Amino acid sequence: MKKKALYQADSIKVLKGLEAVRKRPGMYIGDTDDGTGLHHMIYEVIDNSIDEALAGYCKNIDVRLNSDETVTIRDDGRGIPVDMHKGEKKSAAEVIMTQLHAGGKFDHDSYKVSGGLHGVGVSVVNALSEKLKLEINRDGKKYFIEFINGTAKAALKTIGKSKETGTEITFLPSKEIFSSIKFNANTIIKRIRELAFLNKGIKITFNDLNNKKEKELVFKYDGGILEYVEFLNEKKEKLKNKNGNDLFKKAVYVEGKKESIEIECSLKWNAGYIEDLFAYTNNINQKDGGTHVLGFRSALTRVINKYANEHNLLKKNKLAITGDDIKEGLSCVLSIKIPDPKFSSQTKDKLVSSEVRTIVETVINEKLSIWFDQNPSIARIILTKIIQAALARDVARKARENVRRKGALELSGLPGKLADCQIGKQEGTELFIVEGDSAGGSAKQGRNRSNQAVLPLRGKILNTYVEELNIKQNGNKLTDHRTKALSKMISSNEIVTLINALGLDPKSQEIDLKDLRYGKIIIMTDADVDGSHIRALLLTFFNNKPFNKLIEHGYVYLAQPPLFKINKGSKSIYIKDEKDLENFILQNSKDTKKLKKGSKDFQKFIDKEKSQMSIQRFKGLGEMNPDELWNTTLDPETRNLLQVQYSKDLKKDQSLIHTLMGNDVALRKDFITSNAINVKNLDI
């Protein structure tokens, strides 16, 4: 049997300070007026008992609302340490209760995972209590200490013998701090039930002595979060099988552990349309989601699409299943246990630990794939519901597109391949021009539907370079070669589709920027040589009059998708191009100072380093899953856009465009030949 770590005074690490808690209680405990902060006091004490349970020492927790407005929480854990703390010269119990950042949660030998940390703790409860009594059963003795407004009345003392172990805390919230100290029993019951679900086998009892009909409520769920999902679905219409019986005999349950992160997930679909997803880290609910939710959603979407494609369920309808389709009627509880979680704020509403996403995605993907393969009859009915949701979404989208912004589209209507955004004005909206349906599918799923639209173009568009106005006199007849070139331009379906999507008139010799439907036009092509060619062709189109007005007024941008992905442990690093990859290798390697860039030895060194790294080269945007595309290229918070601008020397710009895109082949050949010597890492 593995020897359990000692939980003594030496386990308690101290980070000082308590005064600030009483001065700014809302910063630590939440709102002191609406009841959230008041109830959080109870949760902090219960969380300590739950942490004891997670460490394997506590099986029973009792919560009692007393008739004198106090609250008592008792557990049968090890009991708070009572020996003298060497650094503080007082008992460990008093240190824990009076120092803001003191406790065994900083010591991974005492607690592997913990919910009751991160800026709050039992010392905060003590600081915000008019009085608090602490009773400890440990080492065959019963100990006692009392606090007034966070300060000990006297040192910890022994008051008797005891055969039990555990901690009992009774506190009276301060009337100076809280507008009301009246607790809501139902609010507490909801949290207690939640904790019992999340920690299978733990027994939590609740008594409200203020209630005339005193009744003890007991919460214990050996099925854990699987029972939680069943509880969430109790009053919802069940999804039926072909025989009219409930499709799920019990909810799906998967679990796994990777790199010290424990993952539990239970889910099932009902016949409704509302999603119930509850995500937890160390028993704390993240109402704003976070990296664990992103990993779960990505894995679920991937598994569903993979299963649908393998069984040819999408070909008939020509649909792409999105996360929104999968959400309809989904009830899910996702719970992870992790040492040292990182949250976006003191209230822990969003998990931001970056390594969690990949790990959750990997585990969920593996386990759910097995479940779907082992339950084909159930899986098909689930897929039928999801495909129906996708069909309904597609019909609704088309209906919206037919109505939205009609004024700008009276000429030819919305192009069918355009996935429009929901906002109906130019300001704040973006149009991503992408190459091909594959990249378009990823972009449509990864985008923010509210303000980001996607237009996939098929193949390389026509070279639309138009020579400067060249009028030749032939008798009394004028021949305008520019007009002929423009006529050829608007004969291209892809070009007309693009112009229509922008809300402009293909036949107009002048454009009104007020007609433009988007605030940003973003060219998003693959990071390879083909993508560069398509990007050049699109820029050539925008360089022509009257569309060059869009460049002049700063509407045209270039996206910067990565060409490489480097897997380094549980982290993914995205690299823009060959040059950045080379720089990354140099920055992460030793003994490179003696190597001369461009030399054979230097290139051999780079090639050798590449072979030792886990490098994925994206052949196209379609290879990136929607979340990757969002995080690297679409998200305004993380992306790197380049704005297309003319330089101060406009004639030089036009001369270069004429050389590269014009009809003079000899001129272009001379340019390529004279500049070839400057090319490095040619991507062919």
Side-chain angles (χ1 to χ4, degrees):
M1 183 177 175
K2 186 178 177 180
K3 185 179 179 182
K4 292 184 176 178
L6 290 173
Y7 181 40
Q8 302 289 352
D10 291 343
S11 303
I12 309 304
K13 307 292 185 263
V14 179
L15 313 168
K16 307 205 175 197
L18 236 205
E19 247 180 77
V21 181
R22 291 183 67 85
K23 287 185 178 179
R24 294 182 179 85
M27 180 178 173
Y28 297 88
I29 205 76
D31 198 307
T32 56
D33 296 322
D34 67 359
T36 54
L38 180 70
H39 289 82
H40 208 92
M41 299 267 279
I42 294 180
Y43 305 156
E44 282 298 331
V45 182
I46 297 176
D47 282 345
N48 282 351
S49 299
I50 291 291
D51 291 338
E52 275 290 278
L54 291 175
Y57 299 99
C58 171
K59 293 182 179 179
N60 299 284
I61 303 169
D62 299 311
V63 181
R64 187 172 70 242
L65 296 184
N66 302 310
S67 55
D68 60 356
E69 298 183 316
T70 63
V71 184
T72 300
I73 296 104
R74 178 184 176 85
D75 66 49
D76 59 355
R78 290 169 289 182
I80 293 175
V82 296
D83 49 330
M84 293 298 291
H85 193 283
K86 294 175 184 176
E88 297 298 304
K89 308 300 182 186
K90 60 181 72 171
S91 70
E94 186 175 342
V95 171
I96 289 172
M97 300 304 295
T98 57
Q99 297 289 355
L100 180 57
H101 294 293
K105 317 299 168 58
F106 297 100
D107 181 353
H108 286 170
D109 290 332
S110 302
Y111 293 98
K112 298 299 181 186
V113 298
S114 166
L117 184 57
H118 242 272
V120 198
V122 72
S123 61
V124 171
V125 177
N126 186 28
L128 303 180
S129 293
E130 190 176 307
K131 61 180 179 179
L132 184 146
K133 296 179 180 180
L134 171 64
E135 190 176 288
I136 303 166
N137 293 302
R138 185 178 171 119
D139 306 326
K141 296 178 181 178
K142 187 184 293 289
Y143 300 87
F144 178 80
I145 187 171
E146 185 175 359
F147 302 87
I148 303 295
N149 293 322
T151 303
K153 285 180 67 177
L156 182 77
K157 60 183 178 182
T158 305
I159 59 171
K161 296 181 179 180
S162 176
K163 295 180 180 179
E164 300 174 348
T165 61
T167 303
E168 179 179 292
I169 290 175
T170 300
F171 67 91
L172 175 66
S174 173
K175 297 181 182 69
E176 294 178 7
I177 302 293
F178 298 98
S179 299
S180 168
I181 61 169
K182 184 175 177 60
F183 289 98
N184 184 303
N186 290 332
T187 301
I188 299 166
I189 289 169
K190 182 181 177 183
R191 175 58 178 161
I192 287 173
R193 181 188 289 115
E194 189 178 51
L195 287 169
F197 278 132
L198 292 167
N199 300 276
K200 53 187 172 187
I202 293 177
K203 179 183 175 183
I204 308 178
T205 59
F206 175 75
N207 281 283
D208 183 2
L209 301 185
N210 297 300
N211 196 330
K212 293 178 181 178
K213 297 180 181 178
E214 184 184 333
K215 182 181 179 182
E216 183 177 86
L217 299 177
V218 179
F219 301 92
K220 185 174 184 288
Y221 303 101
D222 294 325
I225 63 170
L226 192 149
E227 287 191 60
Y228 194 172
V229 170
E230 299 293 359
F231 173 78
L232 293 174
N233 277 273
E234 271 181 5
K235 297 180 180 179
K236 294 179 180 176
E237 184 184 350
K238 305 293 189 293
L239 201 58
K240 305 290 185 181
N241 59 22
K242 292 179 180 179
N243 300 321
N245 299 319
D246 291 351
L247 180 64
F248 289 93
K249 290 183 180 178
K250 64 177 182 178
V252 183
Y253 175 78
V254 296
E255 63 179 336
K257 184 175 182 180
K258 189 176 181 182
E259 297 181 23
S260 75
I261 297 179
E262 296 176 21
I263 301 158
E264 278 190 289
C265 181
S266 185
L267 61 127
K268 69 187 292 189
W269 281 265
N270 55 62
Y273 305 98
I274 306 299
E275 180 192 46
D276 276 331
L277 189 148
F278 294 89
Y280 299 87
T281 303
N282 299 353
N283 298 314
I284 306 298
N285 177 227
Q286 283 75 57
K287 64 180 182 181
D288 294 332
T291 49
H292 49 349
V293 174
L294 290 174
F296 164 75
R297 291 202 189 283
S298 180
L300 184 60
T301 303
R302 185 177 297 180
V303 170
I304 294 287
N305 272 293
K306 178 186 173 187
Y307 189 88
N309 287 317
E310 285 176 352
H311 293 82
N312 298 317
L313 299 175
L314 296 178
K315 286 186 177 180
K316 180 180 177 182
N317 299 302
K318 295 182 181 179
L319 286 170
I321 292 173
T322 70
D324 286 341
D325 306 322
I326 296 168
K327 286 179 182 180
E328 286 198 6
L330 175 66
S331 293
C332 174
V333 177
L334 174 66
S335 175
I336 70 166
K337 304 289 195 325
I338 172 176
D340 297 327
K342 297 179 181 67
F343 300 101
S344 61
S345 66
Q346 297 273 14
T347 52
K348 313 171 194 172
D349 289 334
K350 185 175 183 180
L351 180 70
V352 295
S353 301
S354 57
E355 73 278 11
V356 169
R357 177 174 177 171
T358 305
I359 292 172
V360 170
E361 186 173 347
T362 301
V363 171
I364 297 295
N365 183 69
E366 177 191 338
K367 302 292 184 179
L368 277 185
S369 294
I370 294 170
W371 186 91
F372 269 81
D373 288 337
Q374 292 177 344
N375 298 272
S377 59
I378 300 177
R380 277 189 170 270
I381 295 174
I382 293 171
L383 262 295
T384 300
K385 175 180 172 62
I386 292 170
I387 291 170
Q388 286 174 348
L391 283 167
R393 172 180 52 80
D394 197 48
V395 170
R397 177 184 62 81
K398 289 175 180 176
R400 284 197 308 271
E401 288 176 352
N402 285 333
V403 174
R404 188 186 296 135
R405 292 181 283 182
K406 240 182 175 180
L409 300 166
E410 286 174 352
L411 291 165
S412 57
L414 273 171
K417 62 178 72 175
L418 172 68
D420 206 2
C421 54
Q422 294 165 351
I423 295 176
K425 58 182 179 180
Q426 183 188 117
E427 185 182 357
T429 56
E430 303 175 343
L431 173 68
F432 287 86
I433 305 169
V434 302
E435 49 175 312
D437 292 335
S438 178
S442 288
K444 287 174 186 177
Q445 292 181 57
R447 68 185 169 131
N448 180 344
R449 291 165 181 265
S450 174
N451 73 315
Q452 292 179 333
V454 176
L455 177 67
L457 298 178
R458 292 180 181 173
K460 293 180 181 177
I461 67 167
L462 182 74
N463 181 357
T464 57
Y465 181 72
V466 179
E467 301 285 351
E468 284 302 306
L469 191 62
N470 182 15
I471 301 176
K472 292 184 178 179
Q473 191 168 352
N474 184 7
N476 294 324
K477 186 178 179 181
L478 295 177
T479 304
D480 188 345
H481 293 281
R482 189 172 187 279
T483 302
K484 287 185 177 180
L486 284 169
S487 298
K488 185 180 178 183
M489 183 199 303
I490 63 173
S491 68
S492 164
N493 288 333
E494 295 301 298
I495 294 297
V496 173
T497 294
L498 172 56
I499 296 171
N500 285 339
L502 294 173
L504 306 175
D505 182 356
K507 298 179 181 179
S508 177
Q509 296 294 317
E510 187 61 41
I511 62 173
D512 187 344
L513 293 176
K514 291 180 182 177
D515 293 335
L516 186 63
R517 302 175 64 234
Y518 304 99
K520 283 189 174 74
I521 302 161
I522 302 170
I523 300 171
M524 186 168 74
T525 58
D526 295 342
D528 59 9
V529 67
D530 283 338
S532 298
H533 190 191
I534 293 169
R535 185 163 63 244
L537 291 168
L538 283 166
L539 287 173
T540 302
F541 160 72
F542 283 115
N543 183 60
N544 291 316
K545 294 179 180 178
F547 305 107
N548 61 344
K549 200 172 181 181
L550 299 173
I551 294 178
E552 290 173 357
H553 287 80
Y555 283 94
V556 183
Y557 294 80
L558 301 179
Q560 300 287 290
L563 184 59
F564 300 103
K565 176 182 177 181
I566 298 176
N567 295 315
K568 199 172 183 181
S570 62
K571 295 182 179 179
S572 295
I573 300 165
Y574 296 92
I575 306 292
K576 178 188 166 188
D577 52 26
E578 288 279 0
K579 184 179 178 182
D580 282 0
L581 177 61
E582 185 178 284
N583 290 334
F584 177 83
I585 292 171
L586 292 175
Q587 290 169 6
N588 290 273
S589 305
K590 297 177 181 178
D591 302 325
T592 59
K593 293 181 180 178
K594 296 180 181 179
L595 293 169
K596 186 178 180 181
K597 280 194 175 184
S599 67
K600 289 184 179 180
D601 288 341
F602 180 83
Q603 195 56 48
K604 282 182 181 179
F605 173 80
I606 294 295
D607 292 340
K608 181 183 176 183
E609 289 297 310
K610 284 183 183 179
S611 65
Q612 294 172 353
M613 301 171 75
S614 176
I615 303 176
Q616 176 187 349
R617 180 191 173 99
F618 293 114
K619 294 178 182 176
L621 294 173
E623 284 193 353
M624 301 175 74
N625 66 47
D627 287 335
E628 281 182 320
L629 194 56
W630 167 256
N631 289 326
T632 60
T633 317
L634 297 173
D635 184 358
E637 296 294 326
T638 56
R639 72 189 182 191
N640 181 24
L641 285 184
L642 296 180
Q643 188 177 43
V644 179
Q645 297 175 326
Y646 290 121
S647 70
K648 293 180 180 179
D649 191 346
L650 187 58
K651 286 184 179 180
K652 188 176 180 181
D653 290 347
Q654 296 302 336
S655 175
L656 181 60
I657 295 169
H658 171 70
T659 300
L660 295 174
M661 308 305 292
N663 294 325
D664 193 333
V665 177
L667 191 63
R668 182 160 52 251
K669 184 178 179 182
D670 290 343
F671 177 86
I672 293 171
T673 303
S674 62
N675 286 278
I677 194 169
N678 299 320
V679 176
K680 294 181 180 179
N681 297 322
L682 180 63
D683 184 356
I684 56 174

